[in-house]
Amino acid sequence: MTNQQPVNIVMVEDDEGHARLIEKNIRRAGISNHIHHFLDGNTALQFLYDDPKGPAKNGPALILLDLNLPDMSGTDILAKIKAEGSPLKRAPVVVLTTTDDKLEIQRCYDLGCNVYITKPVNYESFADAIRQLGLFLSVIQVPDVED
C-alpha cells in the first residue's frame, strides 16, 4: 500500500546561520517539503516520537542531523532513531556536521546513518554541498514508518 504523504524533513541544527543556509539551498534545489527545524536534541526527539504531526505518528521522514548539539550528542539521537524496534528505523538520516574525524564518521555509519556530510568551513563550498544535497533529496525514495 503506497502512502502518498509528503515527506517531513526534520532538521536538528543548533546554528541558526547553518540552518538558514541549509533551508535556502534545499529550496533552491526545488524541494518544497515542510522543514521542521529544532535547535536541540530533546525537542527534536519529542517531535520525532511523540508529536501527532511527527514522523513516528504521521509518516515518512528524512532527518538532517548535526552531531554537535547543546544538550546531547547527535550520535545518541542517531542511535535511538536506528535502534531495533524504533518506528523510525528506516528513516534516512543525513549527518551534517563540522566533524571530519574518521572514527566519528565510521561510528555514524555503524549506527545506521545514510549519508555523512562534513560542513565545509568556506561559505561557498558549504552552499554548494547543500545544493547538491537538495538535488539528492529531490530524487531519493523515503520508506514509510514501520508500524
Side-chain angles (χ1 to χ4, degrees), residues 13-82:
E13 170 61 75
D14 65 322
D15 183 311
E16 293 277 9
H18 287 175
R20 277 193 302 278
L21 188 63
I22 291 165
E23 182 161 0
K24 183 171 96 180
N25 285 290
I26 286 173
R27 299 290 179 232
R28 202 175 272 170
I31 308 271
S32 58
N33 303 45
H34 185 72
I35 298 174
H36 303 274
H37 176 217
F38 298 96
L39 296 167
D40 65 80
N42 283 311
T43 314
L45 284 171
Q46 187 179 358
F47 175 76
L48 287 166
Y49 286 96
D50 302 328
D51 193 292
K53 292 188 180 97
K57 301 198 184 324
N58 196 30
L62 172 79
I63 301 159
L64 305 176
L65 180 63
D66 184 13
L67 295 184
N68 306 309
L69 298 167
D71 59 340
M72 66 173 57
S73 159
T75 49
D76 292 341
I77 296 171
L78 177 62
K80 183 171 174 65
I81 290 168
K82 295 296 185 174

Side-chain angles (χ1 to χ4, degrees), residues 88-99:
L88 303 177
K89 186 175 187 213
R90 289 191 193 129
V93 176
V94 176
V95 171
L96 282 162
T97 187
T98 51
T99 308

Side-chain angles (χ1 to χ4, degrees), residues 77-127:
I77 296 171
L78 177 62
K80 183 171 174 65
I81 290 168
K82 295 296 185 174
E84 204 54 52
S86 167
L88 303 177
K89 186 175 187 213
R90 289 191 193 129
V93 176
V94 176
V95 171
L96 282 162
T97 187
T98 51
T99 308
D100 64 356
D101 177 271
K102 281 187 176 24
L103 291 174
E104 191 72 357
I105 294 167
Q106 287 174 345
R107 185 163 169 236
C108 286
Y109 279 112
D110 288 347
L111 288 169
C113 96
N114 300 80
V115 180
Y116 189 106
I117 298 173
T118 303
K119 294 179 195 169
V121 177
N122 171 304
Y123 175 88
E124 266 316 305
S125 303
F126 186 44

